[in-house]
Amino acid sequence: MTDLQMAASDELVAGYVRATMRVEPPATLTAEVMRAVAVLPQERRGWLSAFGQYTPALAALAAAALILAIGAVISAPRNVGPPTDPSTDPTATPAPTLTPEDARILTEPGDVIRIPALDSEGQFGTITLRRGDEIAGYEGYVPLQALMDGEVFFIELDVSYEMDRATSEPYGNAEWGFAVDADGDGFDADDVVRQILGYGVDGEVLETGPDPLLPWFNSGSDSISGGLVAELPAFATEYDIYLVLIADTDPGGPEFEAEAIALLRGPGDPVGVTTFDPADLPSESGAPAPMSSFHVLPTPIPSPVATFEPAPDADADELFAETQTCTNTAMSLIVTFPASWHTNESYEDLPECSFFGAEPLDAKLLYNGLVQTPRVGILERLEWLAGEDPLIERVPIAGRESWRLTFTDEHMSSPGSIFLVPLTENAYGPFAQLGGATEHQAVVARMAVLLEFSE
Amino acid sequence: MDPVRRAQAGDLEAFEMLVEQHAAPLYRLATGIVGATDAQDIVQDAFTAAWRQLPKLRDPERFTQWLRRICVNRCRTHLRTVQVAPISLEAGGADQLPGRGDFRDAVDARAVIGPAFRRLSADQRSVLALHYGLGLSISESADAMDVRVGTAKSRLNAALRAMRVVIAPRPNGTGLADEQAASQ
């Protein structure tokens, strides 16, 4: 695949994302938020966070104390063996902390620790963690992260939540992350990668991995258990790696908090790694694929109609009583649109005379897909691409046999018609694509009829 | 005193100003990641969490970034409750992608890309929504996802690659559009 072809696909994705996000929030949103927060107390700052804000030196001292504490725990005897009664297990002391003040050891297969499962009301159960094996890879599983990091390996754990009572807060796989102490200063928030564990980086279930996997997310009173798999970049083997229970009380960001941490692995060679090999991807191996059917052509191809007349619309006719024109030089098109409307200037690779609307248009915002005002656009499109089966007609536009595609599917953001006017003799592209918001369909049709080529 | 600091002190009117100021971009972000159906709940949840945690925000100047990060995390948590069909790497034929095109308003393209996008992971959707949807830089997107810049780049590349794999036709010549037609 060439860079140009890659860019084409990426442009499709970027355009889709921008279009999807051209929305406005419901008018009631602010009121509903305020109604909710009016009865909610705010949580006040914990002691270490407060030091962090006002006295960095104290925060550093606290961090140093934390490292010493971690070191002390690391040097303590390991709790190896089957789960023990929390009441007698020295590692089972509840730690409802605001910052990671404790560390535990899970460095050897079979190591077990138990920690309290906490919500805002206190302990609702007990979490038992059992260290599993370090795994070089899983047969048939190509982690996408390996495509970027080059090499990855895995560490398996068994996790169970034994419930003492129901909780309304989430618990399960989503609570976990890992931290790689690459800067060598001990565990801290900067080391945490909120990497999804257990289901593969891209949501792929490891078919050859632990079964069952720890559920992503649970609430209520169900005891749950299953495998948790850390997918780690190979470089992490040079550093301490921690398993982190992310505190649910913190929504993320600068106020990262760990409810509990456990040392998962010290520096040392991995048992093996999964190395990305492009040959692992079927799409990049073997014979070239046959011609794409992604470019769906209409079957049968409809016969062209002799003339095209927009449907009657008094408002649109009134708008077009006075018109103005502009030239889209990129496509050599003269566009006629209502005199009371506006068009855009050029910005980056967005040509002038591409968008039209009743309100003034900002080219930069248009380029970034940030303008919400319903509008009409005429854009260059190089390929025939029909994802669903619209009503397809052949209509004469600007002296050329063109296409009108009419979408009525309720899933479309802007049901209506688009016009594809061939820019060359090839009827299947490239095109000038003229379309617009549903409420401007009558305008679109009239602009189509008046469209002209400047050359 | 600015609204953030006033809201940190418990001033509801100041917080309402912040909600009005940030509701639209946050709603767009949530829509981009989880879809329009659940975006409102996500945004309300994010604002509620922000209100509760606001006193603990160390750097009020970074309120926007902090709020954005809360929203992304809420979206991720939400998506983890939903079973997402994984993108198979056994799709093929990436050589047959369109040569180039500008589909910013292509209604029909949405029908092809949408289903593939909805099969991306939460992290992949997030980086696409932040970078392409909100127009943030990779560094800003990384900040919103609470990851390093390199990780954000990796996720973006992985997301685009996954989409290329899905968009591209299968070795037998069928494409996503054909799959959709067959399922109807």
Side-chain angles (χ1 to χ4, degrees), chain A residues 283-296:
Chain A
S283 62
E284 297 193 359
S285 63
M291 177 60 190
S292 168
S293 62
F294 183 58
H295 314 295
V296 183

Side-chain angles (χ1 to χ4, degrees), chain A residues 1 4-6 8-26 28-30 32-34 36-38 40-46 49 52-53 98 142 144-145 147-149 174 180 190-196 201-204 216-217 248-257 276 281-284 289-296 349-350 355 367-368 370 372 375 377 379-383 385-388 405 407 412-414 418 433, chain B residues 7-10 12-13 15-16 19-20 23-24 27-29 31-32 40 43-44 47-49 51-58 60 62 66 69-70 73-74 76-77 80-81 83-84 86-87 89-114 117-118 121 123-124 128-129 132-135 145-148 151 154-155 157-158 160-165 167 169-178 180-181 184:
Chain A
M1 183 164 37
L4 192 61
Q5 288 169 324
M6 290 170 66
S9 169
D10 299 350
E11 178 65 20
L12 282 170
V13 176
Y16 169 81
V17 173
R18 291 186 189 116
T20 302
M21 293 172 65
R22 288 173 197 150
V23 293
E24 287 294 343
T28 58
L29 180 60
T30 298
E32 291 181 16
V33 168
M34 296 312 298
V37 302
L40 279 178
Q42 288 184 308
E43 295 175 6
R44 294 295 150 183
R45 191 176 283 118
S49 297
Q53 179 184 17
L98 291 171
V142 182
L144 282 186
Q145 196 62 34
L147 311 186
M148 309 305 152
D149 290 337
V180 179
D190 290 341
D191 297 327
V192 172
V193 179
R194 288 172 189 263
Q195 196 71 49
I196 297 172
V201 170
D202 294 274
E204 294 173 87
W216 276 123
F217 182 90
D248 190 57
T249 52
D250 180 70
E255 298 302 316
F256 168 84
E257 293 172 8
F276 169 63
L281 288 176
S283 62
E284 297 193 359
M291 177 60 190
S292 168
S293 62
F294 183 58
H295 314 295
V296 183
D349 65 347
L350 175 66
F355 287 103
Y367 179 79
N368 289 302
L370 297 176
Q372 305 303 311
R375 62 186 185 279
L379 297 161
E380 186 175 5
R381 169 173 156 179
L382 298 194
E383 302 266 355
L385 178 71
E388 294 195 344
L405 279 57
F407 296 86
M412 296 297 169
S413 63
S414 300
I418 59 174
Q433 175 179 295
Chain B
Q8 282 188 303
L12 275 169
E13 285 186 13
F15 188 71
E16 185 169 7
V19 173
E20 288 179 348
Y27 183 75
R28 286 174 202 135
L29 176 60
T31 300
Q40 183 173 356
V43 172
Q44 285 184 219
F47 275 122
T48 304
W51 165 253
R52 296 192 66 179
Q53 302 293 320
L54 197 49
K56 296 159 72 176
L57 176 62
R58 269 180 280 188
R62 286 178 50 80
W66 179 74
R69 194 178 291 186
I70 292 173
N73 281 339
R74 296 284 150 166
R76 293 179 64 200
T77 301
R80 287 173 188 175
T81 67
Q83 286 291 333
V84 178
I87 289 177
L89 286 175
E90 294 181 358
D95 301 83
Q96 298 300 328
L97 290 172
R100 185 181 179 278
D102 188 339
F103 298 96
R104 274 170 281 202
D105 270 9
V107 178
D108 51 346
R110 297 172 62 86
V112 177
I113 307 299
F117 183 85
R118 288 190 287 276
S121 71
D123 287 338
Q124 292 174 332
L128 290 174
Y132 290 126
L134 291 188
M145 294 187 295
D146 196 15
V147 298
R148 299 171 195 276
T151 303
S154 294
R155 288 181 182 175
N157 288 332
L160 293 173
R161 185 177 185 90
M163 290 295 284
R164 286 176 209 143
V165 169
I167 292 170
R170 309 303 192 252
N172 64 3
T174 63
L176 184 63
D178 303 287
Q180 288 178 312
Q184 290 173 352

Side-chain angles (χ1 to χ4, degrees), chain A residues 205-227:
Chain A
V205 174
L206 307 180
E207 293 181 0
T208 57
D211 183 24
L213 291 169
L214 182 68
W216 276 123
F217 182 90
N218 219 70
S219 66
S221 60
D222 293 339
S223 292
I224 57 173
S225 63

Side-chain angles (χ1 to χ4, degrees), chain A residues 348-399:
Chain A
E348 299 288 349
D349 65 347
L350 175 66
E352 61 185 359
C353 192
S354 294
F355 287 103
F356 309 86
E359 305 292 333
L361 298 172
D362 184 315
K364 182 179 179 181
L365 295 180
L366 284 166
Y367 179 79
N368 289 302
L370 297 176
V371 171
Q372 305 303 311
T373 309
R375 62 186 185 279
V376 172
I378 185 163
L379 297 161
E380 186 175 5
R381 169 173 156 179
L382 298 194
E383 302 266 355
W384 179 276
L385 178 71
E388 294 195 344
D389 292 327
L391 171 63
I392 299 174
E393 302 162 282
R394 299 182 79 182
V395 294
I397 301 292

